Amino acid sequence: MTELALEIRDVSKRYAEHVAVKQLSLAVPRGTVYGLLGPNGAGKTTTIRMVLNVIGPDTGSITVFGQSHKDPTVLDRLGYLPEERGLYKKMSVRDVLRFLAELKGVDRKRADRGIDEWLERLSLRTPEKDWGKAKVDELSRGMQQKVQFIGTLLHDPELVILDEPFSGLDPINAQALKDTVVELRRRGKTVIFSTHLMDNAERLCDSVCIIARGEKVLDGSLAAVKAENAGRTVAVALDGGASAAVQEVLQDRALVLRADDHSRYFEVELTASGDPQVLLTRLIAAGAVLQRFERVQPSLHQIFLQRVGAAGVEEGMSGHG
Amino acid sequence: MAKLWTVVKREYLERVRTKWFIIVTLFGPIFFAMIMVLPGYLSVKGMREARVTNLRIVDATGLGIGERVSQRLAAPQISAGMAPSMARVDTVTQEGVADVEEALLARVVSREENGVLILDSATVASGRARYLGRDAGSVGQVDALEGAVRTALIGARLEALGLDAPTADAITRLRVRIDAEKVTDQGKGGSGLAGTVFGFGVAFLLYMSIILYGQNILRGVLEEKTTRVAEVVVSSVSPDVLLAGKVIGVGAVGLTQMLVWVASGVLFWEQRSRVFSAMGIQNMPQISFPTIDPLVLVALVLYFILGYTFYASLFAAVGAMVGSQEEAQQASQPVLMLLVFSIIFVQPVMTNPTGQLALVMSWLPFSAPIIMPMRMTATPVPPLEIAGSLFGLALACAAAIWLSARIYRVGLLMYGKRPSMRELLRWIRQS
């Protein structure tokens, strides 16, 4: 049994007008929650569609649980919730779910049992009303979203891929989704989701991959990503203002890339070779009276802005995932 | 394979369960039964209520013409196996006509009688008679009366020439019927009118089914695209399987409908005597069914399946290209044109099923599914020609499937502007 749920190696996809994905490689360990982060149009949906073998990559290889993603049995082990959601409007909820489950190779009896369980869990079936018998277009939007989750998870997939799962969800369904993701992870399933909302990613993910303009910016476990980027920022608070000697240290471009001056409070971003330890000794040598000297853990949001930059976000706005 | 079956099952069941399908499928046999039974039923009903016998005859001829007319009028009822209702005859002298006429006229006015037929010496001499009735404007009524008076007079004249009554009667009963048989370049070319009607029927049935179910596929594809269900489904099955399942499922719906129609038609035909006698009709309408070679029947089914598949894949491709119902209408024009082009030439091909036009149209893949089956019912077509045209159609079918599968694969997940011709070519190359 391989340790990786998904491995993408050197995958590129070019369309006539633009390159959607460029030389992308990433690895998703089994049993983790993995965030695929990036601005709109970064290539997240294209990447996901390539994993699902809906779009063929121009170059590179994709393996799911160690098998080629083109292996027809692989699709049965995947559950997918697309960004653009929809169901057959004229079918009954039960028929739609049964259809989706049968497409994943689940037999009717097992599907029916699963449907009962899920409808009850998401309170779509109560003693008063069984929404399973209703037609899809009789359901409210929130209920349709629930039905769509059920369709994604009914066949108990080992790898669940959610494309922008939080977009358009009401708070109750968003909470239900979070709970479900946590529970899936506890049961040893692997969850990959794409989002441009860093807060959700920060709270849920074990590992992340940030892509922009079709290219990978960084990837790794959340802790590693944070640690890697943590060294860069130091928060410094002084008792009294900064003396000329202290200012001189902060303006040393060999050590400090940028210092955000709030007169008594400084957010100092170190250069790549800048060592916080050196900064500390030099500040003390310059006679600074320190109230606070702290290596700050940047939020994922800050890392994202730092690494992708405003340009990447704006450029991404025009295209399609 | 199991997944293909799942898709086929959904496409089939979702359509067969709709009210629309049930209504149309049931309406077919009812319509068929109506055109079979109605004419016979109406004529019998007409005879039952016939006013032709519900009249008074004033006979001043002195030759018993009135009695003969009365019998003539009742003849259709007798041959239909009903108890005849005879018109009452008042035999009067030439002078007495005016008095009786006046008395009966009053009865007609007061609706006690329907009409009065007056026969006098002028009738015997020149065949002129008078009818006073509420339904004197009815062409049918007057026709029936004229016919009855004419045969009665002929009978009387024949008897006057010395023939005995039964012989004279038999002569006046003579009926003429012409069985028209068509001759073409290859000799006797089929069963004439019946063959033509059947040929038209087959052509229109194929045309209607292809249009109906082809557009049904288009709507299905469009629905999956606009509701974005397609995205979920293609994460479980390949677009090719989805497309194939759709074409097969909807085709099966079409075949089911035709099967119901044909089976109920055959059943009705087998049981027609029982149905007619239940409705009190003894003499069945004379409809001759052209005899059909079983091989032709097999070819018909093949033409339907291949023709349907050809157009269904094209319609599916159109559905995948567009983003709304309005766009679909526009974009499906070229495909519809191919169909309409075929149906325009139905008439000329039928008039000359062995001509150059007929030959070319039954080889062209897009018109063959409509023109060839029609031709085959009208005139014998060499088996080699049928096989060749079927083979060509099958090739075109494969090409259409290949082409539309490519467009479908890309188009299904492509939202936004309708692709230009150039973009479309790129889609085809890309996938």
Side-chain angles (χ1 to χ4, degrees), chain A:
Chain A
M1 199 155 102
T2 167
E3 283 306 302
L4 293 179
L6 169 69
E7 189 178 19
I8 296 178
R9 239 185 268 155
D10 288 329
V11 161
S12 297
K13 178 72 192 176
R14 158 183 289 280
Y15 287 114
E17 306 86 19
H18 68 293
V19 179
V21 174
K22 205 189 287 173
Q23 295 287 306
L24 182 69
S25 295
L26 57 85
V28 179
R30 254 178 203 262
T32 58
V33 177
Y34 193 91
L36 191 58
L37 315 178
N40 291 326
K44 295 176 304 232
T45 299
T46 303
T47 305
I48 289 173
R49 283 182 180 172
M50 285 192 287
V51 171
L52 295 167
N53 198 24
V54 177
I55 304 175
D58 296 337
T59 59
S61 69
I62 298 171
T63 53
V64 178
F65 300 117
Q67 286 171 288
S68 162
H69 70 138
K70 285 181 183 145
D71 190 317
T73 59
V74 160
L75 282 179
D76 289 351
R77 300 162 75 183
L78 296 182
Y80 170 52
L81 181 71
E83 179 180 4
E84 303 276 5
R85 284 154 226 156
L87 297 163
Y88 293 102
K89 289 191 161 45
K90 297 284 169 216
M91 282 175 89
S92 81
V93 169
R94 183 171 290 273
D95 282 348
V96 170
L97 290 175
R98 210 185 261 153
F99 173 65
L100 292 177
E102 279 180 29
L103 282 186
K104 292 289 191 188
V106 178
D107 64 73
R108 195 183 159 127
K109 235 166 136 186
R110 209 151 61 81
D112 273 344
R113 220 168 329 131
I115 293 168
D116 289 338
E117 235 176 78
W118 273 103
L119 288 179
E120 269 161 38
R121 191 191 300 186
L122 296 180
S123 55
L124 285 171
R125 197 164 82 155
T126 56
E128 298 92 57
K129 174 86 186 168
D130 180 4
W131 286 102
K133 286 181 190 146
K135 286 212 171 119
V136 170
D137 58 1
E138 292 165 19
L139 269 61
S140 71
R141 217 175 120 71
M143 283 195 257
Q144 287 188 23
Q145 286 170 345
K146 284 181 184 171
V147 173
Q148 194 109 41
F149 293 160
I150 300 176
T152 307
L153 300 172
L154 191 54
H155 59 289
D156 199 22
E158 290 161 71
L159 172 59
V160 180
I161 300 179
L162 312 169
D163 194 0
E164 296 284 356
F166 294 101
S167 74
L169 288 198
D170 59 44
I172 296 166
N173 279 344
Q175 188 56 48
L177 178 63
K178 273 179 210 160
D179 293 347
T180 311
V181 169
V182 170
E183 201 224 311
L184 283 170
R185 184 182 182 279
R186 201 172 52 231
R187 287 173 48 214
K189 313 288 181 187
T190 311
V191 180
I192 299 174
F193 71 91
S194 79
T195 186
H196 59 271
L197 301 173
M198 299 303 144
D199 294 0
N200 285 320
E202 181 143 18
R203 265 176 276 159
L204 283 169
C205 294
D206 298 304
S207 307
V208 293
C209 171
I210 296 181
I211 58 174
R213 279 156 284 176
E215 281 180 286
K216 181 164 77 182
V217 177
L218 60 84
D219 70 342
S221 73
L222 193 62
V225 166
K226 284 202 163 191
E228 212 171 277
N229 289 275
R232 307 271 89 80
T233 312
V234 178
V236 179
L238 300 172
D239 198 7
S243 64
V246 169
Q247 287 288 4
E248 201 178 302
V249 174
L250 292 178
Q251 272 154 27
D252 181 355
R253 285 289 163 262
L255 186 65
V256 175
L257 190 68
R258 191 166 55 87
D260 204 351
D261 189 347
H262 301 273
S263 92
R264 286 179 50 234
Y265 172 74
F266 297 84
E267 223 165 72
V268 182
E269 204 181 323
L270 297 170
T271 57
S273 58
D275 184 343
Q277 214 58 45
V278 172
L279 176 66
L280 180 59
T281 18
R282 287 193 49 191
L283 281 175
I284 291 167
V289 184
L290 290 171
Q291 271 191 333
R292 179 182 175 203
F293 185 91
E294 189 186 357
R295 290 177 65 169
V296 186
Q297 279 259 317
S299 68
L300 204 51
H301 186 79
Q302 281 170 319
I303 297 172
F304 182 78
L305 283 181
Q306 219 173 69
R307 301 296 295 267
V308 174
V313 178
E314 263 168 36
E315 237 173 71
M317 289 308 201
S318 57
H320 239 289

Side-chain angles (χ1 to χ4, degrees), chain B residues 3 40 218 241 254 272:
Chain B
K3 293 187 179 184
L218 191 159
V241 173
R272 64 192 189 281

Side-chain angles (χ1 to χ4, degrees), chain B residues 32-221:
Chain B
F32 183 78
M34 265 177 15
I35 51 171
M36 294 291 296
V37 177
L38 220 56
Y41 177 71
L42 282 183
S43 73
V44 170
K45 192 162 173 277
M47 277 187 253
R48 273 210 189 114
E49 292 170 358
R51 302 201 195 94
V52 274
T53 54
N54 186 13
L55 52 80
R56 293 283 279 266
I57 299 172
V58 178
D59 185 1
T61 57
L63 295 169
I65 303 287
E67 203 52 51
R68 281 175 193 271
V69 171
S70 174
Q71 269 164 20
R72 282 280 162 246
L73 287 173
Q77 289 183 339
I78 294 164
S79 68
M82 298 189 304
S85 62
M86 308 286 275
R88 244 183 80 186
V89 182
D90 300 287
T91 309
V92 295
T93 58
Q94 190 72 35
E95 291 75 36
V97 171
D99 291 343
V100 180
E101 187 183 323
E102 203 162 316
L104 287 175
L105 192 62
R107 287 174 69 85
V108 172
V109 170
S110 63
R111 290 181 191 274
E112 281 166 273
E113 294 291 347
N114 204 40
V116 186
L117 177 68
I118 298 158
L119 310 167
D120 53 18
S121 51
T123 311
V124 182
S126 61
R128 292 176 59 92
R130 287 186 301 136
Y131 178 67
L132 312 166
R134 290 196 163 269
D135 50 1
S138 145
V139 178
Q141 171 79 338
V142 175
D143 266 359
L145 289 177
E146 277 176 354
V149 173
R150 199 173 63 88
T151 45
L153 284 174
I154 292 171
R157 286 185 184 181
L158 287 173
E159 271 180 59
L161 288 174
L163 284 176
D164 58 305
T167 313
D169 206 43
I171 289 173
T172 61
R173 274 177 202 280
L174 177 69
R175 280 233 181 131
V176 175
R177 198 181 124 185
I178 296 176
D179 289 321
E181 226 173 323
K182 194 161 186 162
V183 178
T184 66
D185 302 353
Q186 279 137 4
K188 280 209 290 195
S191 41
L193 188 67
T196 308
V197 170
F198 188 72
F200 274 128
V202 167
F204 274 99
L205 196 65
L206 288 172
Y207 171 75
M208 289 306 294
S209 319
I210 287 172
I211 280 214
L212 230 67
Y213 287 100
Q215 292 199 318
N216 202 310
I217 290 220
L218 191 159
R219 273 199 303 279
V221 172

Side-chain angles (χ1 to χ4, degrees), chain B residues 22-40 197 200-201 204-205 208 257 260-262 264-266 268-269 275-276 287:
Chain B
I22 294 167
I23 289 169
V24 172
T25 308
L26 291 183
F27 184 72
I30 291 171
F31 182 71
F32 183 78
M34 265 177 15
I35 51 171
M36 294 291 296
V37 177
L38 220 56
V197 170
F200 274 128
F204 274 99
L205 196 65
M208 289 306 294
Q257 191 163 61
V260 171
W261 287 353
V262 170
S264 58
V266 169
F268 182 80
W269 188 250
V275 176
F276 279 117
I287 302 169

Side-chain angles (χ1 to χ4, degrees), chain B residues 203 206-212 214-215 307-308 310-312 314-315 332-346 361 366-367 369-371:
Chain B
L206 288 172
Y207 171 75
M208 289 306 294
S209 319
I210 287 172
I211 280 214
L212 230 67
Q215 292 199 318
Y308 158 79
F310 177 78
Y311 279 103
L314 293 184
F315 275 117
S332 59
Q333 287 303 326
V335 183
L336 280 174
M337 285 298 287
L338 288 181
L339 268 171
V340 171
F341 180 74
S342 315
I343 207 79
I344 285 175
F345 287 102
V346 158
M361 299 274 304
F366 64 86
S367 57
I370 289 167
I371 298 295

Side-chain angles (χ1 to χ4, degrees), chain B residues 343-408:
Chain B
I343 207 79
I344 285 175
F345 287 102
V346 158
Q347 177 74 41
V349 166
M350 214 55 204
T351 347
N352 188 4
T354 51
Q356 201 75 49
L357 181 73
L359 211 68
V360 171
M361 299 274 304
S362 42
W363 277 92
L364 287 177
F366 64 86
S367 57
I370 289 167
I371 298 295
M372 189 60 128
M374 188 184 68
R375 243 186 94 199
M376 274 161 34
T377 55
T379 174
V381 179
L384 209 66
E385 207 179 307
I386 298 176
S389 139
L390 273 174
F391 182 70
L393 180 56
L395 279 187
C397 228
I401 292 169
W402 181 84
L403 202 75
S404 60
R406 281 167 169 254
I407 293 177
Y408 186 76

